[in-house]
Amino acid sequence: LTDITDMFLNINDDEQSPNDVILSSQNNIDDSCLILLEVATNLLQSEELINDFTVLSFEQERLICIVLQIIQRSCELMKENFANELIDYLYLVIGSLASPSPLVRSYAQSSLNTMAKLLYQGSIHNLIVENVDYLIESISQRLNMGMTQHVTSVLMIICKMTGYETILSFNDILE
């Protein structure tokens, strides 16, 4: 009976160090966050909310806020491991700052502050400047899809947060 129990409970006689347990626990947290982030992003894409925030219903507004909260909590839980995922979510967060909804803007600001605090010593400027290549790619893709109104709002936000010199990085796609 103990052999069967051990097999199902995955008990072995090898002792794990506390560091192994913590590492395993962090990997589980990271994996769970990645799954949740993917599901949340897919939900936004299925609702076609990820690219344009012109008019939002109550449900759409709440959905975007939930996704922004998931991004923020994932960053808090994954800590420096979230840096690898940042490129997939940075445009969404910055783009949400251009939302017509004050609630969405508030959640976006909170998410951006958390990312900056945990990954860039609190500097939103550094967060954007060090990831400007990814933002250029995201903006270029949206321009190619004809989403000029939202992109101009995002460029204006980036300019306000980092200064005009950062916008010069976007020269190729703006021409």
Side-chain angles (χ1 to χ4, degrees), residues 34 37 41 71-72 74-76 78-94 108 111-120 123-135 138:
L34 292 174
L37 285 164
T41 304
I71 293 169
Q72 180 176 349
S74 295
C75 183
E76 290 168 345
M78 294 175 70
K79 298 176 178 58
E80 65 276 350
N81 294 339
F82 188 79
N84 297 328
E85 307 307 317
L86 186 63
I87 61 172
D88 294 326
Y89 302 102
L90 184 58
Y91 182 87
L92 174 62
V93 173
I94 292 175
S111 296
L112 192 63
N113 285 335
T114 297
M115 288 181 207
K117 178 183 168 192
L118 295 174
L119 302 173
Y120 290 89
S123 174
I124 291 175
H125 180 272
N126 290 347
L127 168 66
I128 293 171
V129 168
E130 291 182 29
N131 292 285
V132 75
D133 291 341
Y134 304 118
L135 290 169
S138 294

Side-chain angles (χ1 to χ4, degrees), residues 7-8 27 36 68 73 80 82 86 96 108 141 154 167:
M7 184 176 74
F8 283 107
N27 287 339
L36 196 54
L68 290 167
R73 288 295 296 144
E80 65 276 350
F82 188 79
L86 186 63
S96 295
Q141 289 172 353
V154 171
I167 297 300

Side-chain angles (χ1 to χ4, degrees), residues 20-111:
D20 291 339
V21 172
I22 291 170
L23 182 59
S24 175
S25 176
Q26 185 61 47
N27 287 339
N28 290 337
I29 290 170
D30 290 356
D31 291 344
S32 297
C33 287
L34 292 174
I35 291 168
L36 196 54
L37 285 164
E38 183 178 344
V39 169
T41 304
N42 288 340
L43 188 58
L44 275 185
Q45 287 174 338
S46 72
E47 292 288 322
E48 297 182 2
L49 294 175
I50 201 164
N51 296 320
D52 193 13
F53 299 126
T54 52
V55 178
L56 299 174
S57 70
F58 177 80
E59 292 82 13
Q60 291 171 326
E61 180 183 57
R62 295 305 183 261
L63 176 62
I64 294 168
C65 291
I66 289 168
V67 170
L68 290 167
Q69 184 68 33
I70 289 169
I71 293 169
Q72 180 176 349
R73 288 295 296 144
S74 295
C75 183
E76 290 168 345
L77 293 169
M78 294 175 70
K79 298 176 178 58
E80 65 276 350
N81 294 339
F82 188 79
N84 297 328
E85 307 307 317
L86 186 63
I87 61 172
D88 294 326
Y89 302 102
L90 184 58
Y91 182 87
L92 174 62
V93 173
I94 292 175
S96 295
L97 292 170
S99 171
S101 163
L103 187 61
V104 170
R105 289 192 309 269
S106 174
Y107 274 84
Q109 186 174 17
S110 180
S111 296

